[in-house]
């Protein structure tokens, strides 16, 4: 089973922290949909079209800027080319686009999971982020999701914002929990160089919180959601039991996926190797050239690279990684140095290692990046 990711590269305005590929000019939406349909058809009768598709994810950008006709056109094309057997079809929505009619329309098209870009309910933080929505729109969108009884939904939160103290974060979390979300993704604000935030930090106009403050935020998120029965299953992802996101879980376990639209990434196995590639982040090129010419940044991945990546992704999940699977699928065995390091971390309660499965504890997950680097450096 494989996944499909579709990148819709339009946004109403640029959020200050965002370095995804998007455009704020809306005139190209219609030609983009036509080019996307052409790209979908370019995969007719290829190995990609014969593998059953278990998840579809519409991300961006802002997919909720597309109307019914455009979405229907995309799904009709997907249906005619791919072997769609999707258990999960997720669509990212921005709160300011959501109405009851829109939710009913996307449900009718087959979307069964909504991903709401809330980020915060605090007006000052939303302004700082330069989000297009305000607090009331976020509340209304979540209320509508509940009222229309959407099959599954998730909401994004961003913590570690400049000027955000623990009380403000607590208020955001409590407000979100009022809507009883089955799933929450919580990310710490990252300062990317080519963004408005990045430039302001560089000029010294904004001071992001230090590591200790961010760690305290992360701990508060972990504990508050845990108390509400929304359990961490990956560093940034929390869900009620059985409501984990299928599409993202497939990324972490190296399932095949195909990315469509400018800047979308793909990953595909062929025997003992895999290939990763990216569509160019260039709408003009995407509109004017044949779909296959959109591809660049092709990377051939051998088993050692894949094993290391699998360790990195797997250790970010509560399930962890199976050492047996590393041996059998990736021909990767732990070195003596790695085994000693693991014993040491188990004593420090950062790791558990039982029945050939290695996983970080909640404490370990707080410093997962550092621990993963430490482990891989001993390979
Ligand atoms: S809406 Fe999402 S993709 Fe668009 S600028 Fe904001 S964060 Fe980036």
């Amino acid at each position: 089973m494989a996944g499909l990711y579709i990148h819709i590269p339009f946004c109403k305005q640029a959020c200050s922290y965002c370095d995804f590929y998007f455009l704020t000019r809306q005139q190209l939406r219609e030609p983009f949909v036509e080019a996307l349909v052409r790209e979908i058809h370019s995969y007719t009768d290829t190995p990609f079209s014969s593998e059953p598709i278990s998840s579809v994810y519409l991300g961006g950008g802002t997919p909720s800027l597309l109307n019914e006709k455009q979405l229907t056109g995309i799904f009709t094309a997907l249906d005619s080319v791919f072997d769609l057997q999707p258990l999960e079809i997720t669509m990212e929505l921005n709160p300011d686009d959501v109405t009851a009619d829109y939710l009913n329309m996307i449900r009718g098209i087959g979307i069964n999971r909504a991903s709401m870009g809330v980020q915060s309910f605090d007006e000052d933080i939303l302004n700082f982020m330069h989000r297009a929505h305000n607090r009331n729109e976020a509340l209304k969108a979540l209320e509508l999701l509940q009222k229309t009884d959407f099959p599954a939904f998730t909401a994004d939160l961003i913590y570690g914002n400049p000027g955000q103290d623990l009380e403000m974060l607590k208020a955001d979390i409590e407000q979100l929990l009022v809507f009883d979300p089955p799933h929450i993704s919580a990310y710490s604000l990252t300062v990317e160089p080519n963004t408005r935030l990045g430039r302001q930090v560089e000029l010294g106009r904004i001071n992001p919180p230090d590591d200790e403050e961010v760690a305290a935020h992360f701990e508060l998120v972990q504990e508050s959601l845990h108390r509400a029965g929304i359990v961490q299953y990956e560093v940034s992802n929390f869900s009620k039991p059985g409501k984990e996101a299928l599409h993202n879980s497939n990324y972490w376990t190296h399932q095949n996926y195909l990315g469509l639209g400018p800047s979308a990434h793909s990953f595909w196995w062929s025997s003992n190797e895999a290939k990763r590639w990216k569509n160019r982040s260039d709408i003009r090129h995407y509109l004017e050239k044949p779909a296959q010419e959109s591809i660049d940044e092709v990377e051939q991945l051998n088993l050692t690279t894949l094993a290391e990546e699998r360790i990195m992704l797997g250790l970010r999940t509560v399930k962890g990684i199976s050492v047996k699977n590393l041996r059998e699928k990736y021909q990767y065995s732990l070195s003596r140095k790695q085994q000693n390091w693991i014993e040491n971390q188990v004593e420090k309660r950062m790791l558990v290692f039982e029945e050939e499965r290695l996983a970080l504890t909640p404490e370990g997950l707080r410093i997962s990046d550092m621990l993963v680097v430490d482990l891989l450096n001993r390979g």
Side-chain angles (χ1 to χ4, degrees):
M1 302 291 272
L4 285 179
Y5 171 79
I6 302 165
H7 191 80
I8 312 294
F10 299 98
C11 293
K12 284 186 190 159
Q13 60 190 53
C15 299
S16 62
Y17 55 88
C18 179
D19 77 339
F20 293 147
Y21 178 67
F22 66 91
L23 311 140
T24 48
R25 273 176 298 132
Q26 306 300 324
Q27 314 85 287
L28 297 178
R29 257 193 250 164
E30 197 54 46
F32 160 76
V33 172
E34 286 164 20
L36 178 60
V37 167
R38 281 199 300 277
E39 188 187 12
I40 294 169
H41 282 294
S42 75
Y43 285 102
T44 307
D45 295 332
T46 63
F48 307 102
S49 62
S50 55
E51 187 152 328
I53 300 293
S54 64
S55 69
V56 179
Y57 191 102
L58 266 77
T62 313
S64 51
L65 286 175
L66 297 187
N67 61 30
E68 181 170 10
K69 186 172 156 273
Q70 292 164 333
L71 288 167
T72 307
I74 294 168
F75 275 94
T76 306
L78 290 175
D79 236 344
S80 71
V81 172
F82 294 102
D83 180 8
L84 295 189
Q85 303 181 18
L87 302 165
E88 185 186 273
I89 307 182
T90 304
M91 178 170 170
E92 291 180 356
L93 307 167
N94 274 355
D96 43 310
D97 297 326
V98 172
T99 60
D101 284 349
Y102 196 82
L103 289 181
N104 286 328
M105 180 273 283
I106 62 172
R107 264 190 84 170
I109 285 174
I111 310 290
N112 59 12
R113 187 168 179 270
S115 174
M116 192 67 73
V118 172
Q119 321 309 354
S120 175
F121 297 97
D122 185 296
E123 292 288 9
D124 290 338
I125 293 179
L126 289 171
N127 279 335
F128 151 76
M129 290 175 175
H130 202 237
R131 294 287 308 184
H133 71 273
N134 59 29
R135 173 185 168 83
N136 281 341
E137 285 166 323
L139 294 174
K140 197 174 138 239
L142 290 166
E143 218 176 278
L144 283 173
L145 270 181
Q146 273 195 317
K147 269 199 201 143
T148 48
D149 211 10
F150 215 82
F153 74 94
T154 178
D156 287 350
L157 265 191
I158 297 184
Y159 58 86
N161 296 291
Q164 184 181 33
D165 61 22
L166 286 174
E167 281 307 308
M168 291 161 79
L169 177 59
K170 194 165 162 241
D172 267 353
I173 297 169
E174 282 173 0
Q175 183 61 73
L176 184 53
L177 290 177
V178 167
F179 299 98
D180 194 25
H183 188 286
I184 294 175
S185 296
Y187 305 98
S188 72
L189 182 76
T190 40
V191 181
E192 303 291 350
N194 291 321
T195 59
R196 195 160 104 168
L197 175 63
R199 287 186 287 278
Q200 285 172 323
V201 170
E202 208 181 293
L203 291 170
R205 291 191 191 140
I206 286 181
N207 286 323
D210 62 28
D211 290 353
E212 261 176 44
E213 281 175 86
V214 177
H217 279 206
F218 185 36
E219 217 174 306
L220 178 66
V221 171
Q222 273 182 320
E223 287 171 4
S224 317
L225 298 188
H226 188 82
R227 271 199 304 278
I230 303 176
V231 182
Q232 185 172 32
Y233 68 99
E234 197 261 352
V235 171
S236 309
N237 287 283
F238 302 78
S239 82
K240 292 187 180 171
K243 299 291 181 185
E244 296 84 4
L246 174 68
H247 189 81
N248 286 353
S249 303
N250 285 348
Y251 288 154
W252 308 325
T253 51
H254 273 156
Q255 306 296 314
N256 287 339
Y257 61 87
L258 186 64
L260 304 162
S263 86
H265 287 85
S266 304
F267 173 91
W268 211 269
W269 284 92
S270 55
S271 63
N272 260 356
E273 277 192 339
K275 200 164 92 170
R276 178 172 287 120
W277 67 96
K278 183 182 172 241
N279 281 1
R280 286 165 75 129
S281 304
D282 181 345
I283 189 78
R284 281 279 157 216
H285 194 280
Y286 190 73
L287 298 182
E288 287 160 16
K289 304 280 181 191
Q292 299 310 339
E293 285 181 31
S294 268
I295 293 169
D296 70 355
E297 295 186 26
V298 181
E299 210 185 338
Q300 205 67 39
L301 304 159
N302 63 26
L303 278 184
T304 311
T305 311
L306 288 163
E308 290 182 349
E309 197 179 271
R310 180 72 189 89
I311 291 172
M312 202 171 74
L313 296 168
L315 283 184
R316 288 175 59 91
T317 66
V318 167
K319 236 186 193 172
I321 41 165
S322 151
V323 172
K324 184 166 173 262
N325 176 261
L326 283 179
R327 244 186 351 255
E328 291 174 355
K329 184 168 175 183
Y330 300 88
Q331 294 160 25
Y332 185 95
S333 299
L334 294 171
S335 69
R336 173 57 38 210
K337 273 192 201 162
Q338 284 176 316
Q339 290 175 27
N340 291 341
W341 180 87
I342 289 167
E343 276 172 30
N344 195 263
Q345 296 302 326
V346 169
E347 273 172 35
K348 288 187 187 162
R349 296 176 189 274
M350 290 291 159
L351 271 174
V352 276
F353 191 22
E354 282 163 3
E355 295 175 11
E356 295 218 83
R357 188 163 279 282
L358 190 61
L360 294 179
T361 60
E363 291 71 31
L365 283 172
R366 288 175 198 156
I367 50 166
S368 60
D369 289 347
M370 202 180 87
L371 292 174
V372 168
V373 171
D374 259 11
L375 175 62
L376 293 179
N377 281 345
R378 287 168 171 77

